[in-house]
Amino acid sequence: MTAGTAETAGTGGAAETGGTAGTALVELDGVAKFYGNIRALEGVSLEVHAGEISCVLGDNGAGKSTLIKIIAGLHRHDAGDLLIDGVTTTLGSPREALDRGIATVYQDLAVVPLMPVWRNFFLGSEPTKGRGPFKRLDVTLMRETTRAALLRMGIDLRDVDQPIGTLSGGERQCVAIARAVHFGAKVLVLDEPTAALGVKQSGVVLKYVAAARDAGLGVVLITHNPHHAYLVGDRFVLLKRGAMAGSHTKDSITLDELTRQMAGGSELEELSHELERATGPEPDVTASNVSASDGTAPGEASGKPLRPA
Amino acid sequence: MTATASPARGTPEGPRVTAGGGDERLLRVSPLRRLLGRPELGAVVGAVAVFLFFSFTADSFLRPSSIGTVLYAASILGIMAVPVALLMIGGEFDLSAGVMVTSSALISSMFSFQMTANVWVGVLVSLLVTLGLGAFNGIMLTRTRLPSFIITLGTFLMLTGLNLGLTKLISGTVSTKTIGDMEGFPAARKLFASSLTIGGVDLKVTILWWAALVALASWILLRTRYGNWIFAVGGNADAARAVGVPVRGTKIGLYMGVALCAWVAGQHLLFSFDVVQSGEGVGNELKYIVAAVIGGCLITGGYGSAVGSAVGAFIFGMTDKGIVYAEWNPDWFQFFLGAMLLLATLLNAWVRKRAEASR
Ligand SMILES: Nc1ncnc2c1ncn2[C@@H]1O[C@H](COP(=O)(O)OP(=O)(O)OP(=O)(O)O)[C@@H](O)[C@H]1O
Ligand SMILES: [Mg+2]
């Protein structure tokens, strides 16, 4: 499925880093979402282009998962516009999103632990053979495709018959990504794929994300980690308490600046001053040191108590 | 990424490449191990134990006629244990399943008697109404998102009341009027309640119904998309919805499957005799659940088999009749059953752990 799109994406992605050429595969424009009286998201805009990775960054509870659940069809937005291929749409169910080529890898992984890998891989889109009452699952095709699709992603699975719950977290994540890539998705949405993964596993997952981009998919990558984001991302949207705190393309921002903004900018400088005063003999704690030594959770480093009231 | 490799590595087979895969991390799984991975294994072991036990303690247990009787008792239960097992794999219960059988019998009996001269009309109306009851359970469950325990407890109580109340209102007594002399009765009896003699053994037709239902349910579970969805909605409904499985439709379908089988069992109840007692069926819903659980269905959903429920029902039949053949007080039956349930559940849990470790 990827051969044709890969080429167009290769050229398209390189040519339009500015992002204004061509319609976005998915575009959010001033989108809002309320859970009862909780404002989870308001006035958020995002563009996803073929062959590009759009990163969404933000603290815990910033509304990142809510954002992607709107794109995935799990939640309906309350205000603003969701455009797919330039047409305003509302998605009624995950099925609709899938049918339009939007595949999502959820934060909570969305697999059925007790089911074998191959059944999970095809869940919801099972191929069948035969007619009428003899219509049945094409089990051999399912098994072989699962094995092959995983191998293509570089995952060498022991046994596609084992319950997916017995795989390691990284392997499960990879199955979910391979599944999304396999189903010819135009858009791949990943909610914190590298959270809870080791350094090496994170690298593996990022490699698959890049592979999906190179195959011509538009990718939305959610992460806490600015280092990961900067490594692969083409655009960056920063969320803070449900609102947009910034939107950048890769050539308009540096890693340090991205890290600083994510960690709360001036808040972090304030933090370093405060730490200086508190610890005394450690005068060289600077903003860049804090973020570099604790790359995985710079958001937490800013700490709620330090937020200017 | 290979850190979770199986702890059961120390087997004497040593590292060995499998036929198809060719992965050195995958030990060859012995046939015994594969067997241990089946959900119904615990039930099969239990069934063999019960069989041996009664073979030794009850002289008449091994007679051909006894086998027919045991199978009959098992089939009555087994017909309902099949859809209840599927429903349990789908993550839900149906406490109204027992009285629904009676309702179905009452509907066809009373409709035939009051409205027409032909029993087949009643049988057909009963099918539609019973399917409607199943759909009601399913729709209520998926709309309200209340636990199925509450929803079907409600239907259970309502149906119990309706069975008694309407029967008294219409017939004046707690049982229906006889329909034995009505048109179509002999043919309907043949379909739902006849017996055939095979090799000197008297076998009730319900055994065929039961076998057919087990085969059909196994086919659906293991070889159709719908079966895949049943495992998924029971194993993780949110995940299933997220990948596009119609969770509501799947659950409603499962409840209608229970209703369909309740109709079969209900027609048997009616055509074995020609009247129906309106108070029957209360308490049977738990027996169906017990049979499914003994058969290896996980009470939390997502795991189990139709064949397992059949083995569970067979254990039931053997225990029920074996106690009679052993000339014990039938009061012991329930004790036996409870012990069996506990043992089977423990065995299943142990087997599952072994099976997972053997991977
Ligand atoms: N179903 C819900 N009902 C009510 N409030 C919700 C619901 N889901 C999320 N929220 C609230 O919306 C806000 C945003 O949540 P969201 O899950 O989108 O955050 P997030 O950015 O993904 O956080 P994390 O980094 O921890 O995954 C939070 O304050 C959360 O409490
Ligand atoms: Mg989240």
Side-chain angles (χ1 to χ4, degrees):
Chain A
M1 73 29 34
T2 52
T5 39
E7 282 154 38
T8 49
T11 51
E16 45 149 351
T17 23
T20 38
T23 27
L25 294 176
V26 173
E27 187 179 345
L28 293 176
D29 187 18
V31 157
K33 172 76 196 170
F34 302 92
Y35 294 110
N37 60 353
I38 300 171
R39 187 200 69 170
L41 216 55
E42 197 162 30
V44 173
S45 302
L46 172 76
E47 277 180 32
V48 187
H49 288 267
E52 276 189 25
I53 298 179
S54 305
C55 294
V56 180
L57 301 123
D59 280 345
N60 293 114
K64 303 183 297 294
S65 296
T66 307
L67 180 77
I68 67 107
K69 279 175 181 163
I70 291 171
I71 301 177
L74 264 173
H75 292 325
R76 219 169 289 192
H77 53 284
D78 296 318
D81 287 319
L82 168 64
L83 290 86
I84 297 180
D85 294 325
V87 184
T88 311
T89 329
T90 28
L91 293 169
S93 72
R95 183 76 259 167
E96 276 179 42
L98 279 162
D99 291 343
R100 311 198 56 158
I102 301 171
T104 306
V105 179
Y106 295 91
Q107 193 168 14
D108 42 16
L109 291 177
V111 295
V112 185
L114 282 171
M115 285 171 82
V117 175
W118 62 275
R119 281 184 182 269
N120 261 293
F121 192 92
F122 280 97
L123 185 58
S125 316
E126 300 87 348
T128 53
K129 61 181 177 187
R131 281 214 191 122
F134 299 107
K135 196 165 141 184
R136 60 199 183 275
L137 292 183
D138 195 343
V139 176
T140 26
L141 177 79
M142 288 168 79
R143 280 216 174 87
E144 275 159 20
T145 313
T146 304
R147 178 172 282 283
L150 291 176
L151 262 181
R152 253 203 312 282
M153 296 292 280
I155 308 154
D156 181 14
L157 213 56
R158 286 184 291 268
D159 176 10
V160 290
D161 261 309
Q162 70 192 106
I164 202 163
T166 62
L167 296 186
S168 80
E171 285 173 322
R172 244 177 301 167
Q173 189 75 58
C174 294
V175 172
I177 296 171
R179 167 170 75 184
V181 172
H182 174 79
F183 283 107
K186 286 187 300 186
V187 179
L188 182 60
V189 184
L190 303 124
D191 195 352
E192 298 192 28
T194 53
L197 292 192
V199 176
K200 195 167 156 230
Q201 282 80 3
S202 298
V204 172
V205 167
L206 286 178
K207 240 167 52 197
Y208 300 147
V209 170
R213 174 198 59 198
D214 295 339
L217 278 72
V219 180
V220 182
L221 177 67
I222 293 178
T223 175
H224 276 299
N225 190 327
H227 298 268
H228 288 166
Y230 202 76
L231 222 48
V232 293
D234 296 298
R235 328 163 167 262
F236 308 95
V237 169
L238 286 153
L239 291 185
K240 190 178 247 175
R241 293 202 267 171
M244 292 259 284
S247 176
H248 310 277
T249 53
K250 186 156 188 174
D251 44 14
S252 71
I253 192 167
T254 63
L255 174 59
D256 281 346
E257 178 61 17
L258 187 67
T259 311
R260 205 185 64 82
Q261 286 209 9
M262 225 197 121
S266 54
E267 283 172 41
L268 195 62
E269 268 152 37
E270 211 170 291
L271 171 70
S272 73
H273 281 298
E274 226 152 287
L275 284 174
E276 223 170 318
R277 252 177 279 140
T279 47
E282 297 271 3
D284 58 353
V285 178
T286 62
S288 62
N289 271 356
V290 167
S291 57
S293 62
D294 189 16
T296 49
E300 268 136 48
S302 75
K304 292 228 151 76
L306 295 169
R307 188 167 275 148
Chain B
M1 284 165 62
T2 62
T4 55
S6 74
R9 281 243 160 125
T11 42
E13 293 122 317
R16 187 53 42 85
V17 173
T18 43
D23 189 324
E24 78 291 346
R25 292 166 300 175
L26 185 62
L27 304 178
R28 188 170 50 188
V29 182
S30 69
L32 180 70
R33 277 278 161 73
R34 263 192 204 289
L35 200 69
L36 280 174
R38 306 282 319 157
E40 53 281 280
L41 179 88
V44 171
V45 172
V48 171
V50 173
F51 182 82
L52 291 177
F53 178 77
F54 283 114
S55 301
F56 287 117
T57 51
D59 296 332
S60 48
F61 187 73
L62 286 176
R63 279 191 212 137
S65 66
S66 312
I67 290 173
T69 313
V70 165
L71 278 177
Y72 174 54
S75 69
I76 296 294
L77 192 91
I79 285 175
M80 286 306 289
V82 170
V84 167
L86 258 56
L87 185 67
M88 195 179 288
I89 296 171
E92 306 293 347
F93 296 105
D94 189 351
L95 295 181
S96 67
V99 286
M100 198 183 284
V101 172
T102 313
S103 302
S104 185
L106 287 170
I107 293 163
S108 67
S109 163
M110 287 195 287
F111 192 89
S112 301
F113 189 84
Q114 302 292 331
M115 302 292 183
T116 69
N118 193 319
V119 296
W120 288 105
V121 180
V123 169
L124 208 72
V125 169
S126 165
L127 173 64
L128 295 179
V129 176
T130 314
L131 283 177
L133 291 174
F136 174 80
N137 272 336
I139 291 169
M140 282 294 283
L141 179 92
T142 50
R143 291 270 152 198
T144 61
R145 291 159 190 258
L146 290 171
S148 59
F149 184 87
I150 300 297
I151 300 279
T152 60
L153 187 61
T155 3
F156 160 73
L157 291 170
M158 290 196 295
L159 283 182
T160 312
L162 277 176
N163 284 355
L164 289 164
L166 280 181
T167 309
K168 262 193 197 153
L169 204 68
I170 294 170
S171 321
T173 61
V174 289
S175 68
T176 60
K177 299 269 196 306
T178 173
I179 57 163
D181 49 0
M182 285 178 69
E183 205 178 311
F185 186 84
R189 169 170 270 183
K190 212 169 194 80
L191 180 62
F192 291 110
S194 60
S195 37
L196 352 140
T197 313
I198 299 170
V201 183
D202 199 32
L203 295 176
K204 288 277 190 188
V205 72
T206 46
I207 299 169
L208 293 183
W209 277 100
W210 179 34
L213 283 170
V214 171
L216 179 69
S218 297
W219 165 263
I220 289 175
L221 262 186
L222 299 176
R223 284 294 173 266
T224 67
R225 302 187 69 187
Y226 185 63
N228 218 28
W229 298 346
I230 293 174
F231 281 111
V233 299
N236 186 351
D238 291 333
R241 186 172 114 80
V243 294
V245 172
V247 174
R248 287 183 173 193
T250 304
K251 292 206 167 168
I252 294 171
L254 284 171
Y255 275 101
M256 292 181 74
V258 175
L260 179 71
C261 294
W263 172 76
V264 174
Q267 302 320 296
H268 170 73
L269 189 66
L270 171 60
F271 291 106
S272 304
F273 313 97
D274 50 16
V275 295
V276 185
Q277 303 295 326
S278 57
E280 263 181 73
V282 177
N284 284 351
E285 62 282 341
L286 292 181
K287 293 186 189 167
Y288 308 147
I289 292 174
V290 169
V293 171
I294 289 180
C297 288
L298 207 56
I299 203 133
T300 45
Y303 191 79
S305 77
V307 173
S309 80
V311 181
F314 187 57
I315 292 181
F316 236 99
M318 284 194 292
T319 315
D320 191 5
K321 299 302 166 195
I323 285 175
V324 178
Y325 291 130
E327 291 169 8
W328 296 348
N329 190 329
D331 296 343
W332 287 99
F333 174 63
Q334 306 252 335
F335 171 81
F336 238 93
L337 214 60
M340 197 78 64
L341 177 67
L342 283 184
L343 279 176
T345 319
L346 286 175
L347 189 63
N348 282 337
W350 179 77
V351 163
R352 202 160 25 245
K353 235 166 131 185
R354 289 292 305 257
E356 253 146 46
S358 77
R359 293 211 169 252

